[in-house]
């Protein structure tokens, strides 16, 4: 790795901190100005008393001016203390995230693995057989995959495979005591719902990238030297065609994370997406803020990793 690339990475990492501060300020303001009062979650409708609600708001620190609330919260976050949830049995937020993080990571990893395993060979075949039946089917399937809403697709798969056929479980992630492979059947439907639109995007980009590369002069020269088509495609074309795919894959990871909120809610999946959905409904500010900040940090870190992979895959790329 060149010195310019290392300097660029250091600058990008240092830039993460002001970006995260700006993100936290915007999210904190929007959440606290949104309709709804989290103090109401502590008071039942039968015994509603404005005095009690006001006391709860005072205990939670919600009676203080917004800048003061932000300063208190930000000082705790700087010490990696995300506070205590208003609901969820008043557990520490970091504990809640730790309990659900592995379920989301496993689901996302399986979804992205399925997407790449299907899209890369399909995109290569589609590019090599341009305008053929396979290419037309892949193109049509890609547009269809992008057009299907996640929530509708999740409900239809649940109805068909879980309710009618009874082949797969309809919801949850399975018993906690079982291992990943023992619970694999629980992953199939939610991972498929997350993977289908991603397969469509990856296939289209892989096809376009391969088409651009296989018409380059050096590919023509390799064929003229008598190299086998398999060697031309996989040894010479694929590596260069995969460089733009790194950006596409990196950009899709946040989409998968945001899409998992809907998918996890439909499948009652005990992950971060479902946690965020529940926190929004209950106006649990500490949980919402922690998830938003961690998601933003993950997106920024992914962008830095993508830049590094660019330099590794193509040494000609330099950063000033």
């Amino acid at each position: 790795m060149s010195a310019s690339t290392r300097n660029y990475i250091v600058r990008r990492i240092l830039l993460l901190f002001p970006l995260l501060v700006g993100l936290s300020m915007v999210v904190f303001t929007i959440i606290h100005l949104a309709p709804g009062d989290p103090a109401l979650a502590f008071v039942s409708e039968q015994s509603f008393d404005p005095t009690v609600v006001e006391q709860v708001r005072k205990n939670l620190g919600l009676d203080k001016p917004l800048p003061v609330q932000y300063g208190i919260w930000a000082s705790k976050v700087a010490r990696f203390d995300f506070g205590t949830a208003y609901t969820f049995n008043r557990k520490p937020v970091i504990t809640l995230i730790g309990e659900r993080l592995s379920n989301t990571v496993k689901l996302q990893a399986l979804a992205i693995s399925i997407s790449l395993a299907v899209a890369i060979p399909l995109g290569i075949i589609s590019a090599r057989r341009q305008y053929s039946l396979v290419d037309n089917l892949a193109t049509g399937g890609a547009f269809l995959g992008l057009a299907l809403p996640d929530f509708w697709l999740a409900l239809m798969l649940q109805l068909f495979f879980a309710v009618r056929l009874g082949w797969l479980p309809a919801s949850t992630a399975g018993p906690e005591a079982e291992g990943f492979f023992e619970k694999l059947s629980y992953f199939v439907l939610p991972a498929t719902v997350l993977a289908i639109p991603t397969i469509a995007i990856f296939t289209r980009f892989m096809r376009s990238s391969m088409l651009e590369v296989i018409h380059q002069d050096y590919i023509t020269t390799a064929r003229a030297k008598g190299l086998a088509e398999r060697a031309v495609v996989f040894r010479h074309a694929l590596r260069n065609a995969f460089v733009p795919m790194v950006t596409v894959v990196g950009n899709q990871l946040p989409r998968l994370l945001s899409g998992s909120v809907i998918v996890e809610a439909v499948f009652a999946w005990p992950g971060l997406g479902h946690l965020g959905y529940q926190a929004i409904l209950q106006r649990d500010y500490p949980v919402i803020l922690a998830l938003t900040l961690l998601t933003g940090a993950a997106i920024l870190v992914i962008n830095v990793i993508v830049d590094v992979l660019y330099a590794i895959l193509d040494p000609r790329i330099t950063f000033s």
Side-chain angles (χ1 to χ4, degrees):
M1 187 181 296
S2 64
S4 61
T5 302
R6 286 195 298 270
N7 292 335
Y8 173 80
I9 294 170
V10 171
R11 290 200 305 271
R12 288 292 301 273
I13 293 174
L14 293 177
L15 189 60
L16 293 178
F17 297 101
L19 288 174
L20 287 175
V21 170
L23 174 65
S24 67
M25 294 176 67
V26 171
V27 173
F28 190 92
T29 304
I30 292 175
I31 289 175
H32 282 73
L33 294 180
D37 189 347
L40 297 178
F42 294 82
V43 182
S44 63
E45 295 181 2
Q46 291 79 12
S47 60
F48 178 81
D49 185 347
T51 306
V52 176
V53 174
E54 190 60 31
Q55 183 61 45
V56 171
R57 297 187 80 255
K58 185 176 181 180
N59 293 340
L60 296 176
L62 298 174
D63 60 326
K64 296 181 174 64
L66 202 59
V68 175
Q69 292 185 48
Y70 175 79
I72 295 172
W73 174 79
S75 64
K76 291 181 179 179
V77 171
R79 301 190 300 271
F80 297 98
D81 177 11
F82 292 98
T84 303
Y86 294 163
T87 52
F88 302 103
N89 296 322
R90 299 283 292 167
K91 285 186 177 181
V93 175
I94 197 67
T95 301
L96 284 171
I97 293 174
E99 291 174 350
R100 308 204 183 195
L101 179 62
S102 63
N103 287 327
T104 294
V105 170
K106 291 174 185 176
L107 182 62
Q108 300 295 338
L110 184 58
I112 202 74
S113 300
I114 294 172
S115 302
L116 292 173
V118 174
I120 291 176
L122 191 58
I124 293 172
I125 295 171
S126 186
R128 291 182 59 192
R129 301 180 183 179
Q130 191 178 14
Y131 304 128
S132 66
L133 178 61
V134 175
D135 185 26
N136 291 331
L137 288 175
T139 301
F143 285 121
L144 180 62
L146 289 172
L148 295 175
D150 288 347
F151 71 91
W152 181 87
L153 182 59
L155 293 173
M156 291 302 102
L157 290 180
Q158 274 184 328
L159 178 64
F160 187 73
F161 289 103
V163 178
R164 288 193 178 180
L165 299 179
W167 291 354
L168 297 167
S171 61
T172 77
E176 294 185 6
E178 294 183 355
F180 173 74
F181 292 102
E182 295 172 322
K183 298 192 299 183
L184 194 58
S185 60
Y186 292 90
F187 284 78
V188 173
L189 291 182
T192 301
V193 175
L194 287 173
I196 284 177
T198 312
I199 290 172
I201 295 171
F202 289 173
T203 300
R204 296 299 301 159
F205 271 91
M206 193 69 218
R207 177 184 181 275
S208 301
S209 187
M210 279 297 294
L211 281 175
E212 183 178 350
V213 170
I214 62 179
H215 291 105
Q216 297 292 327
D217 291 340
Y218 72 92
I219 297 296
T220 304
T221 303
R223 285 173 173 154
K225 289 180 177 180
L227 289 178
E229 186 66 16
R230 179 181 294 272
V232 172
V233 171
F234 291 99
R235 188 183 304 171
H236 296 279
L238 183 58
R239 178 172 181 174
N240 290 327
F242 200 72
V243 171
M245 279 291 294
V246 173
T247 300
V248 179
V249 173
N251 289 336
Q252 285 307 302
L253 291 178
R255 191 208 69 81
L256 276 174
L257 200 58
S258 61
S260 69
V261 175
I262 297 173
V263 174
E264 289 185 10
V266 172
F267 288 99
W269 188 267
L272 295 181
H274 194 213
L275 177 64
Y277 173 75
Q278 292 175 308
I280 291 171
L281 292 180
Q282 298 169 358
R283 299 294 190 274
D284 199 320
Y285 293 166
V287 177
I288 299 171
L289 288 167
L291 289 175
T292 305
L293 194 64
L294 292 175
T295 302
I299 293 171
L300 295 173
V301 170
I302 287 170
N303 288 333
V304 175
I305 293 173
V306 167
D307 289 341
V308 175
L309 290 177
Y310 248 70
I312 293 173
L313 290 173
D314 191 349
R316 296 172 299 177
I317 296 176
T318 58
F319 302 99
S320 57

